[in-house]
Amino acid sequence: MKKAILLDRDGTINVEKDYLHRIEDFEFEKNVVEALKIFSSLGYTMAVVTNQSGIARGYYTEEDLQKLNEHIKKELEKNGVIIEKFYYCPHHPEKGVGKYKTDCICRKPNTGMLDAAIKEFDIDRAGSFMVGDTLADIDAGQKAGLTPILVKTGHGMETLEKLGDRKIDIFASLYDFALSLK
């Protein structure tokens, strides 16, 4: 079994921009590439698990999302970082249009995307992490048996106020979390 780091995308890997789907609007959070290099050097398998309700709302298409994810993947590969796969949920239970309006198992805080990654890459739940900036990320990680990590980038500061009695590790950024593992 492999140890892994499952990563939220928006607000964790890249700067949060509502319904990001255009390559020209994409920018990495500070020191993210360095953080991912650290995870890689420590032997972690990495995959992205991201809710993309902009597809459900009709703001952009799955093809738009795939182009952006491919761009991210190539930029990281130029720096020696491999993201094994990008999992995404295009659904929304209330705001979705047509086939995308559904209460699915993949939308975080549900664990469908995480479970798929765990199965596909033979991930050891106990030795792995789910990193994100929202309660949905934290709750999905806990439900899937991973160690949840909250980063203060993106929506992280707002999420801090909503944590309640959840006992989780909190870091200023993905880079700060990576440094803690060295």
Side-chain angles (χ1 to χ4, degrees):
M1 297 187 90
K2 299 174 186 168
K3 60 183 182 177
I5 297 182
L6 302 185
L7 300 147
D8 173 53
R9 195 190 80 181
D10 301 320
T12 302
I13 292 176
N14 58 269
V15 173
E16 173 64 48
K17 296 180 181 175
D18 288 339
Y19 307 109
L20 175 68
H21 64 282
R22 298 175 346 146
I23 291 170
E24 56 268 26
D25 295 332
F26 175 83
E27 60 183 302
F28 285 111
E29 279 285 351
K30 186 178 179 190
N31 294 325
V32 158
V33 174
E34 292 80 3
L36 298 175
K37 283 181 178 179
I38 291 169
F39 298 146
S40 185
S41 74
L42 294 172
Y44 285 95
T45 296
M46 293 179 285
V48 171
V49 289
T50 178
N51 287 348
Q52 292 293 318
S53 72
I55 295 169
R57 297 165 194 255
Y59 298 162
Y60 52 93
T61 65
E62 288 189 67
E63 293 74 25
D64 294 331
L65 175 68
Q66 288 165 351
K67 284 179 191 169
L68 177 58
N69 287 344
E70 192 58 34
H71 168 76
I72 297 167
K73 187 174 177 138
K74 285 181 180 170
E75 288 300 305
L76 291 172
E77 285 172 355
K78 286 181 196 174
N79 288 282
V81 174
I82 304 298
I83 298 291
E84 295 296 336
K85 190 166 182 175
F86 284 76
Y87 296 88
Y88 67 92
C89 172
H91 309 113
H92 195 282
E94 294 96 35
K95 309 246 189 287
V97 177
K99 70 179 182 178
Y100 296 114
K101 184 176 182 174
T102 183
D103 193 2
C104 62
I105 63 163
C106 56
R107 183 174 176 75
K108 295 177 290 183
N110 296 325
T111 62
M113 291 185 287
L114 287 72
D115 292 336
I118 289 164
K119 183 177 180 185
E120 185 170 349
F121 296 103
D122 192 29
I123 293 170
D124 171 26
R125 292 173 194 263
S128 299
F129 300 90
M130 172 65 215
V131 185
D133 65 323
T134 68
L135 280 182
D137 299 320
I138 299 311
D139 291 346
Q142 286 180 321
K143 288 180 194 174
L146 306 175
T147 300
I149 301 293
L150 177 68
V151 291
K152 293 182 185 177
T153 51
H155 294 292
M157 293 303 289
E158 301 159 34
T159 302
L160 275 175
E161 300 169 15
K162 302 174 189 171
L163 279 177
D165 61 357
R166 291 174 185 85
K167 302 288 184 234
I168 61 162
D169 290 326
I170 301 164
F171 292 90
S173 67
L174 193 62
Y175 184 65
D176 289 312
F177 170 53
L179 290 177
S180 79
L181 295 177
K182 285 181 89 174

